[in-house]
């Protein structure tokens, strides 16, 4: 798909449109000219008969054939317009609903999902407007209050106020440590650096003693670096640890806070709606391609239990282990679990049964030529 | 040309400069192909404002043609007529001149509107061009918002659509005006008025005819039924003669069925005809209009949201998503998503991908899977971390099996099909 070609085609349309417009103006001017000429002649007490003037005018206008003159530019414009439509249809997939199954989505469920999405993205006004337009009232209240809290903390951070964040981190410090997060330390470090930036060494030192000290045992390196920054109070730009004092640190810490907050309240970090749509963007191309090839099989499409084509998503969409048996190419399941053989290679149970003729003989592993006894294979749990 | 699955080196053509972000080599190859494929889904995004632009051009041109024809025939009439005075002639010609001046002004205005619409078309192209690896997260975020605005407009939640578009400054990237035109017709139909719908049909006469649409016929049928309902049978028959007869050639059966309502009263119990008198028929007209409208503008019939959701849900759908310990990061761990996904097919993959139960990270050659004596598999990273924190001891988190040293963990699982 050449975007430049498409842009060129559109430029041509715009050009032809301008031409058509100016030609139309021209033609109208011509008509006006003729009429005004006739008007002048009639007004002036000339020897010409009025009727004669008018008949002349009618003849002149017929000769000019204004609409005929416009036909040329119109035709060129229409050609450019239809060329653009064609290039759009060629470069893009003109119908992405071809792979759509006629299954109704329950509107209430979809509305709930959308409302939750607005609230967790911080679009509170839009969310409220949506709720009132759809008249959905229940369920979103819970999510709303959770994320309102989070955004209040984040908004405060954006305007340089770390108090709400520190309060939250202190209240949840046990769970944060359990998660292996050093968010509390990071927040205190930010505060420490801000105090230093404003200039007071004593205050900074006091702050460090009160708030950084408890973390000293586990984070010796960071604390040392921070304390070293004391030397560069008021001249933090020249400090040798730019990553500690830069403003982008605030963004990183805000992200960490968001991540921990979502985790602690049992929510995902990314909006599930965004994740699903992103997965859809990756899944549609292979599905649509399949549909163009399998155009006749629309009936089967509506009722199949598994997608007919593999859809490989990026690894951020991989939430569960998928094992595909290298022999049968089937995905393992509870009914047909993966089994590890004595050589360390893994096949699905059905393949092992087949290759050992139902445990009646040994067989050779398809990868290394070791002899395998089916009875010794053990089930794996991913 | 095959779209490449996850970097597998299938026989694919080299990446000619076919993609945005011409700055050579900022985007890795597989991501580039993926981006191109994603952009190919955006036909509606470019087509709708273009159709709108085309329509404005057509309408403006038709107005010009009409006025010029009228002026010329006016001149002809005046020149052919017998008795008029010099003053009459002067007045007539002067009025014609001022009409033409008015036309020029209108043309100018129309040209300005067309220019704005052309700019909108260009803005869309530029937006597609702007997508690259640097701003991908934000571009994707904008896409979610565009998809949601499309949903709001289809479901007639106009306020939310406007608010959402405003809040993220994406007014140029969505088609609110186009849907507002539709709103007028839909509102009227819901008020049992067909006039705006008929006007829309006449505006788009040639294209509706090309697609063999019978929407206008259905509108006329409904007007006829309303006349019968009001027991204006004579008027109904006149109406039928004028407006329904022309459709008789192609839609005789339907015509006959509706004409038969003349024999019944609106509260008839006869099922075939009772259905025709139902107020539901108006809802059906609204649906028909929406379909015709979407087709004309090159839009999908279903909201974009549903299309993307369905594909995404299916691609994420595995039997494991419905278990209690499904990770919260999986959208299908949520009740609402599970509800939507349950009638959809499961995903299919050809390449094994293993995810560590403890860290949720991919287990690949850099972080290979290891098997405990009880058959449970965890990533090397997770087991080493656990051992470090617990004096070298490991406990299987799912069964509680206790292992004294890391060495007791059996050999690596060698899985030749693991993707990087």
């Amino acid at each position: 798909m050449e975007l430049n070609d498409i842009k060129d085609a559109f430029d041509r349309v715009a050009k032809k449109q301008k031409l058509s417009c100016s030609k139309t103006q021209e033609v109208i001017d011509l008509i006006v000219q003729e009429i005004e000429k006739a008007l002048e002649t009639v007004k002036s007490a000339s020897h010409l008969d009025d009727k004669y003037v008018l008949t002349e005018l009618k003849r002149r206008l017929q000769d000019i054939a204004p609409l005929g003159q416009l036909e040329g530019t119109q035709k060129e414009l229409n050609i450019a317009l239809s060329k653009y439509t064609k290039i759009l249809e060629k470069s893009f997939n003109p119908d992405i609903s071809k792979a759509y199954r006629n299954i109704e989505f329950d509107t209430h469920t979809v509305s709930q999902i959308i409302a939750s999405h607005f609230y967790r993205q911080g679009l509170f006004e839009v969310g409220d407007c949506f709720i009132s337009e759809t008249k959905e009232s229940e369920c979103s209240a819970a999510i709303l209050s959770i994320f309102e809290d989070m955004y209040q903390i984040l908004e405060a951070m954006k305007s340089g106020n770390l108090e709400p964040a520190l309060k939250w981190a202190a209240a949840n410090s046990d769970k944060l440590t359990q998660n292996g997060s050093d968010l509390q330390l990071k927040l205190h470090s930010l505060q420490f650096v801000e105090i230093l930036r404003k200039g007071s060494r004593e205050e900074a030192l006091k702050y460090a003693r009160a708030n950084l000290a408890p973390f000293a045992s586990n984070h010796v390196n960071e604390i040392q670096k921070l304390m070293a920054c004391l030397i560069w109070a008021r001249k933090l730009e020249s400090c040798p640890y730019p990553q500690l004092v830069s403003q982008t640190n605030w963004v990183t810490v805000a992200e960490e806070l968001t991540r921990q907050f979502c985790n602690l309240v049992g929510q995902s970090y990314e909006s599930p709606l965004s994740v699903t749509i992103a997965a859809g963007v990756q899944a549609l191309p292979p599905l649509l391609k399949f549909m163009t090839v399998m155009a006749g099989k629309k009936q089967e499409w509506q009722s199949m239990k598994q997608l007919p084509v593999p859809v490989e998503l990026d690894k951020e969409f991989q939430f569960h282990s998928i094992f595909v048996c290298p022999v049968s190419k089937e995905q393992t399941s509870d009914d047909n679990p993966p089994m590890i053989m004595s050589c360390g290679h893994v096949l699905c149970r059905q393949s092992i049964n087949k290759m050992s003729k139902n445990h009646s003989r040994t067989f050779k592993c398809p990868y290394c030529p070791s002899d395998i006894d089916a009875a010794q294979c053990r089930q794996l749990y991913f | 040309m095959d779209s490449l699955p996850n970097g597998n080196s299938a026989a694919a053509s080299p990446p000619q400069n076919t993609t945005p972000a011409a700055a050579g080599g900022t985007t890795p190859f597989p991501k580039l192909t993926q981006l191109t494929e994603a952009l190919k889904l955006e036909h509606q995004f470019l087509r709708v404002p273009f159709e709108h632009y085309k329509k404005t051009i057509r309408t403006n041109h038709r107005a010009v043609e009409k006025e010029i024809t009228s002026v010329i025939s006016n001149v002809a009439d005046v020149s052919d007529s017998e008795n008029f005075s010099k003053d009459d002639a002067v007045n007539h010609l002067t009025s014609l001149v001022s009409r033409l001046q008015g036309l020029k002004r209108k043309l100018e205005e129309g040209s300005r509107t067309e220019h704005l619409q052309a700019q909108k078309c260009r803005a869309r192209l530029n937006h597609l061009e702007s997508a690259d690896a640097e701003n991908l997260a934000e571009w994707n975020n904008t896409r979610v918002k565009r998809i949601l605005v499309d949903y709001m407009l289809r479901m007639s939640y106009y306020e939310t659509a406007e608010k959402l578009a405003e809040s993220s400054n994406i007014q140029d990237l969505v088609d609110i005006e186009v849907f507002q035109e539709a709103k007028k017709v839909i509102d009227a139909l819901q008020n049992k008025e067909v006039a705006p719908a008929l006007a829309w049909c006449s505006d788009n006469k040639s294209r509706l005819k090309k697609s063999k649409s019978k929407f206008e016929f259905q509108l006329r049928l409904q007007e006829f039924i309303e006349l019968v309902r009001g027991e204006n049978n004579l008027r109904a028959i006149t109406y039928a003669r004028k407006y329904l007869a022309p459709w008789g050639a192609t839609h005789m059966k339907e015509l006959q069925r509706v004409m038969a309502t003349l024999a019944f009263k609106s509260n008839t119990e006869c099922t075939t005809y009772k259905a025709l008198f139902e107020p539901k028929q108006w809802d059906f007209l609204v649906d028909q209009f929406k379909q015709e409208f979407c087709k004309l503008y090159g839009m999908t019939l279903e909201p974009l949201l549903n299309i993307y959701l369905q594909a995404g849900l299916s691609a994420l759908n595995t039997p494991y998503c419905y278990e209690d310990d499904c990770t919260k990061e999986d959208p299908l761990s949520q009740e609402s998503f599970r509800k939507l996904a349950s009638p959809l097919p499961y995903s299919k993959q050809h390449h094994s991908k293993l995810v560590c139960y403890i860290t949720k990270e991919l287990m690949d050659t850099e972080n290979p899977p290891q098997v405990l004596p009880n058959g449970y598999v965890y990533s090397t990273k997770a087991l080493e971390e656990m051992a470090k924190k617990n004096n070298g001891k490991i406990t299987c988190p799912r069964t509680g099996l206790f292992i004294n040293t890391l060495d007791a963990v059996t050999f690596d699982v060698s899985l030749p099909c693991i993707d990087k």
Side-chain angles (χ1 to χ4, degrees), chain B residues 35-52:
Chain B
L35 188 51
T36 316
E37 289 299 318
L39 293 184
K40 282 206 192 136
L41 301 172
E42 300 280 6
H43 183 243
Q44 180 174 315
F45 185 55
L46 293 183
R47 184 70 181 269
V48 175
F50 181 65
E51 289 297 327
H52 198 204

Side-chain angles (χ1 to χ4, degrees), chain A residues 1-3 6-7 10-11 14 17 21 24-25 28-29 31-32 35-36 39 42 50-51 54 57-58 66-67 74 77 81 84-85 88-89 91-94 96-97 100-101 103 105-107 109-110 113-114 117 125 129-130 133-134 266 268-269 272-273 275-277 280-285 288-289 304-307 310-315 317-324 331-332 340 344-346 367 378-382, chain B residues 1-3 6 17-18 31 34 37-41 43 46-47 50 53-54 61 64 69 72 76 78-81 84 86 90 93 97 100 103-104 107-108 111 114 118 121-122 125-126 129 143 151-152 155 157-160 163 302 305-310 312-315 318 320-321 326 328-331 334 336-337 339-340 345-355 362 371 373 375-377 398 411 413-416:
Chain A
M1 169 179 67
E2 268 284 6
L3 270 174
I6 303 177
K7 286 175 101 174
F10 188 77
D11 285 340
Q17 164 52 13
C21 203
T24 311
Q25 294 278 11
I28 296 180
D29 283 339
I31 304 180
V32 170
I35 298 185
E36 284 187 330
L39 197 53
V42 168
D50 287 346
K51 184 148 166 88
L54 289 171
L57 177 61
K58 171 172 139 194
L67 290 182
Q74 270 308 106
L77 176 58
L81 288 172
Y84 186 68
T85 310
L88 282 189
E89 284 178 353
S91 317
F92 295 88
N93 196 319
I96 61 172
S97 65
Y100 189 71
R101 284 180 179 69
I103 297 178
F105 275 160
D106 174 49
T107 327
T109 316
V110 177
I113 289 178
I114 296 180
H117 173 82
E125 267 189 48
C129 182
F130 179 68
E133 261 193 302
T134 56
S268 55
Y269 175 60
L273 182 62
V275 172
T276 313
I277 290 181
V281 169
Q282 290 192 8
L284 270 179
L288 289 171
K289 179 178 292 177
M304 36 180 64
K305 286 271 174 293
Q306 192 182 33
L307 288 177
V311 173
E312 309 282 351
L313 298 175
D314 279 351
K315 62 178 189 210
F317 300 106
Q318 205 68 34
F319 301 111
H320 304 275
S321 293
I322 301 273
F323 181 73
V324 178
Q331 282 172 227
T332 55
I340 187 170
H345 290 118
V346 181
Y367 285 96
R378 291 180 297 129
Q379 185 171 339
L380 284 184
Y381 303 86
F382 297 122
Chain B
M1 180 182 76
D2 253 355
S3 86
N6 282 21
N17 230 5
T18 54
K31 272 270 175 270
Q34 211 178 61
E37 289 299 318
L39 293 184
K40 282 206 192 136
L41 301 172
H43 183 243
L46 293 183
R47 184 70 181 269
F50 181 65
Y53 177 53
K54 268 207 294 197
H61 187 75
V64 164
T69 315
I72 294 186
V78 166
S79 76
D80 288 341
S81 89
F84 58 89
K86 186 180 276 285
V90 169
L93 291 180
V97 170
L100 287 175
L103 181 62
K104 285 190 69 165
L107 188 58
E108 196 103 345
S111 183
E114 284 161 13
C121 291
R122 282 215 176 85
L125 283 167
N126 291 338
E129 206 177 33
R143 177 173 49 207
Y151 182 77
M152 301 298 157
M155 304 291 285
Y157 304 139
Y158 297 102
E159 262 189 68
T160 312
K163 253 210 164 77
E302 293 80 18
L305 179 66
N306 292 13
I307 296 177
Y308 283 102
L309 268 186
Q310 218 193 62
L313 287 170
S314 236
T318 72
Y320 311 110
C321 301
C326 173
K328 284 272 158 259
E329 300 298 322
D330 184 353
Q334 302 222 1
S336 44
F337 284 83
K339 196 159 162 213
L340 294 183
Y346 287 127
S347 77
K348 181 182 204 166
Q349 293 191 35
H350 275 172
H351 301 279
S352 300
K353 288 199 185 78
L354 301 181
V355 172
L362 226 49
V371 189
Y376 281 74
V377 177
R398 285 176 279 184
F411 39 80
V413 174
S414 24
L415 297 163

Side-chain angles (χ1 to χ4, degrees), chain A residues 64-259:
Chain A
I64 295 178
L67 290 182
Q69 288 201 32
L70 293 180
E71 252 173 50
T73 44
Q74 270 308 106
K75 193 159 156 207
E76 287 185 11
L77 176 58
N78 284 337
I79 291 179
L81 288 172
S82 81
K83 272 216 174 107
Y84 186 68
T85 310
K86 284 210 179 75
I87 202 177
L88 282 189
E89 284 178 353
K90 198 176 74 161
S91 317
F92 295 88
N93 196 319
D95 185 7
I96 61 172
S97 65
K98 265 204 288 227
Y100 189 71
R101 284 180 179 69
N102 289 331
I103 297 178
E104 287 262 346
F105 275 160
D106 174 49
T107 327
H108 290 299
T109 316
V110 177
S111 299
Q112 267 175 43
I113 289 178
I114 296 180
S116 304
H117 173 82
F118 284 143
Y119 288 133
R120 64 163 18 256
Q121 301 294 91
L123 299 166
F124 296 106
E125 267 189 48
V126 179
D128 290 338
C129 182
F130 179 68
I131 299 263
S132 69
E133 261 193 302
T134 56
K135 308 204 183 28
E136 297 272 344
S137 43
E138 15 114 355
C139 292
S140 334
I143 267 231
L144 168 58
S145 61
I146 293 176
F147 283 98
E148 248 175 357
D149 289 342
M150 188 179 91
Y151 277 96
Q152 270 171 15
I153 299 179
L154 289 175
E155 281 303 310
M157 268 186 82
K158 269 206 205 130
S159 41
N161 174 10
L162 285 167
E163 285 310 308
L166 285 166
K167 212 165 110 193
W168 181 83
N172 291 286
S173 87
D174 292 333
K175 299 210 198 93
L176 285 171
T177 333
Q178 228 175 38
N179 277 355
S181 163
D182 56 357
L183 181 64
Q184 247 190 323
L185 172 61
K186 287 213 175 79
L187 288 169
H188 282 304
S189 316
L190 282 181
Q191 191 76 298
F192 175 77
V193 170
E194 275 319 291
I195 300 178
L196 266 189
R197 206 187 295 276
K198 294 196 183 106
S200 164
R201 276 212 184 97
E202 293 82 52
E203 235 192 277
L205 199 46
K206 219 167 77 181
Y207 190 83
R209 286 221 181 91
N211 298 297
L212 295 180
F215 300 95
S217 44
N218 286 338
H219 300 92
V220 178
N221 262 332
E222 284 104 82
I223 307 271
Q224 281 179 345
K225 287 196 190 134
L226 285 168
M227 298 314 281
C229 290
L230 276 170
I231 308 178
W232 282 273
R234 266 179 266 116
K235 284 185 293 167
L236 283 174
E237 320 76 56
S238 8
C239 147
Y241 306 117
Q243 68 277 20
L244 278 182
V245 303
S246 80
Q247 287 298 100
T248 52
N249 214 1
W250 284 73
V251 175
T252 327
V253 178
E255 263 177 38
E256 171 74 9
L257 189 142
T258 313
R259 209 175 279 276

Side-chain angles (χ1 to χ4, degrees), chain B residues 17 26 29 55-56 69 109-110 128 151 155 183 191 204 231 267 273 280 289-290 335 350 383 398 407:
Chain B
N17 230 5
T26 46
F29 180 49
K55 181 161 170 212
T56 310
T69 315
E109 236 180 78
L128 287 189
Y151 182 77
M155 304 291 285
K183 178 181 198 286
N191 266 330
N204 295 283
E231 299 187 13
N267 52 4
Y273 298 99
K280 249 199 324 196
F289 171 68
K290 283 183 178 169
E335 204 39 59
H350 275 172
L383 292 175
R398 285 176 279 184
D407 297 332

